[in-house]
Each structure stands twice: as structure tokens, then as C-alpha cells.
């Protein structure tokens, strides 16, 4: 069972940037969908970004144009570059890894489907002040 460990969270001012990392304990390309999701206090969790086995990213509208998901297979690491941060981006951020169900197309790997991925990390806290 792969384990995921997030890092890179912190406190920044509005407009600032952070880069989150998600280190996997084993080779991740066997997992054909990886994603980031977040949970803010008192709110439902929200899928933020996903990347499929072909390296194609997919973003939630709320972060499109500001966040970039990427992966380094040689380092077994998933990244989330977050620019132009806003106070509403404040949340615990989690990475997730899993498999696209048989028969589903690559576009199944979307931010909203993070909940169906089998492995989640413990999260890293991002706080954005105004």
C-alpha cells in the first residue's frame, strides 16, 4: 500500500505563492490518477486539481489559472504550485492517489473524483491572510 506524505504548507499573505509536495512511498505510475483536494474549516472538502497517467492536468474552476499540478515520476512526487493565493484558499490540503475504474476514459481523472481514489495523505495546512 503506497503512503503519501504532504509538505510545503505554511502562512502567506494574499497574492503570495506556495509549492506543495506529496511524496509517495513507492512508484506512483501504477496509480493512474493523482489529485489534490482541500478542506476548509466548516466547509465541505473540494477537489482542486488532478493529473492522469498521460500527464494531462484538470483543475477546479476556483483555482484555474492560479494553481498548477505536476508530477516527477523519478522522485515519486506530486506537486501543486499555488500562485496568487487568496484568503479563501485557506484550508488543509491533501493529496490522493488511485486507479481510474476499468472502462472509464482518461477524463475520469478529475478534481471532483478525488474521493474515489484509494490512498490519501495526512494533509498540510495552508493559511492565506488578507
Amino acid at each position: 500500500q503506497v503512503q503519501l506524505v504532504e509538505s510545503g504548507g505554511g502562512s502567506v499573505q494574499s497574492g503570495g505563492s506556495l509549492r506543495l509536495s506529496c511524496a509517495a512511498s513507492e512508484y506512483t505510475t501504477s496509480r493512474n490518477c493523482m489529485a489534490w483536494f482541500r478542506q476548509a474549516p466548516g466547509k465541505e472538502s473540494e477537489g482542486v486539481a488532478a493529473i492522469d497517467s498521460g500527464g494531462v492536468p484538470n483543475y477546479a474552476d476556483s483555482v484555474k489559472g492560479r494553481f498548477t499540478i505536476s508530477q516527477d515520476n523519478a522522485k515519486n512526487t506530486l506537486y501543486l504550485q499555488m500562485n496568487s493565493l487568496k484568503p479563501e484558499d485557506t484550508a488543509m490540503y491533501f493529496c490522493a492517489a488511485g486507479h481510474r475504474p476499468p472502462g472509464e476514459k482518461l477524463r475520469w481523472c478529475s478534481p471532483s473524483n478525488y474521493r474515489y481514489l484509494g490512498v490519501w495523505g495526512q494533509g498540510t495546512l495552508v493559511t492565506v491572510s488578507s
Side-chain angles (χ1 to χ4, degrees):
Q1 176 82 338
V2 66
Q3 293 182 327
L4 305 174
V5 179
E6 301 92 338
S7 62
S11 296
V12 296
Q13 291 192 328
S14 182
S17 297
L18 283 173
R19 187 194 196 201
L20 305 184
S21 298
C22 171
S25 60
E26 64 182 50
Y27 197 47
T28 57
T29 59
S30 61
R31 313 279 168 167
N32 54 27
C33 182
M34 298 193 73
W36 288 96
F37 68 98
R38 65 187 180 186
Q39 183 153 29
K43 296 186 179 181
E44 291 188 1
S45 56
E46 174 192 20
V48 172
I51 188 164
D52 65 28
S53 56
V56 177
N58 197 333
Y59 301 98
D61 288 343
S62 58
V63 306
K64 200 170 292 184
R66 300 188 298 123
F67 289 12
T68 302
I69 187 172
S70 62
Q71 58 188 0
D72 186 332
N73 292 332
K75 296 182 178 180
N76 292 346
T77 302
L78 180 74
Y79 301 101
L80 185 68
Q81 177 68 44
M82 306 187 297
N83 299 328
S84 303
L85 282 161
K86 306 175 182 179
E88 51 264 43
D89 294 318
T90 295
M92 186 73 80
Y93 283 73
F94 302 84
C95 63
H99 297 279
R100 184 178 69 252
E104 291 284 355
K105 298 185 185 300
L106 285 176
R107 63 173 177 265
W108 178 91
C109 184
S110 64
S112 60
N113 280 338
Y114 76 88
R115 68 196 74 228
Y116 302 113
L117 302 178
V119 182
W120 294 3
Q122 293 300 307
T124 185
L125 181 63
V126 172
T127 303
V128 185
S129 58
S130 57

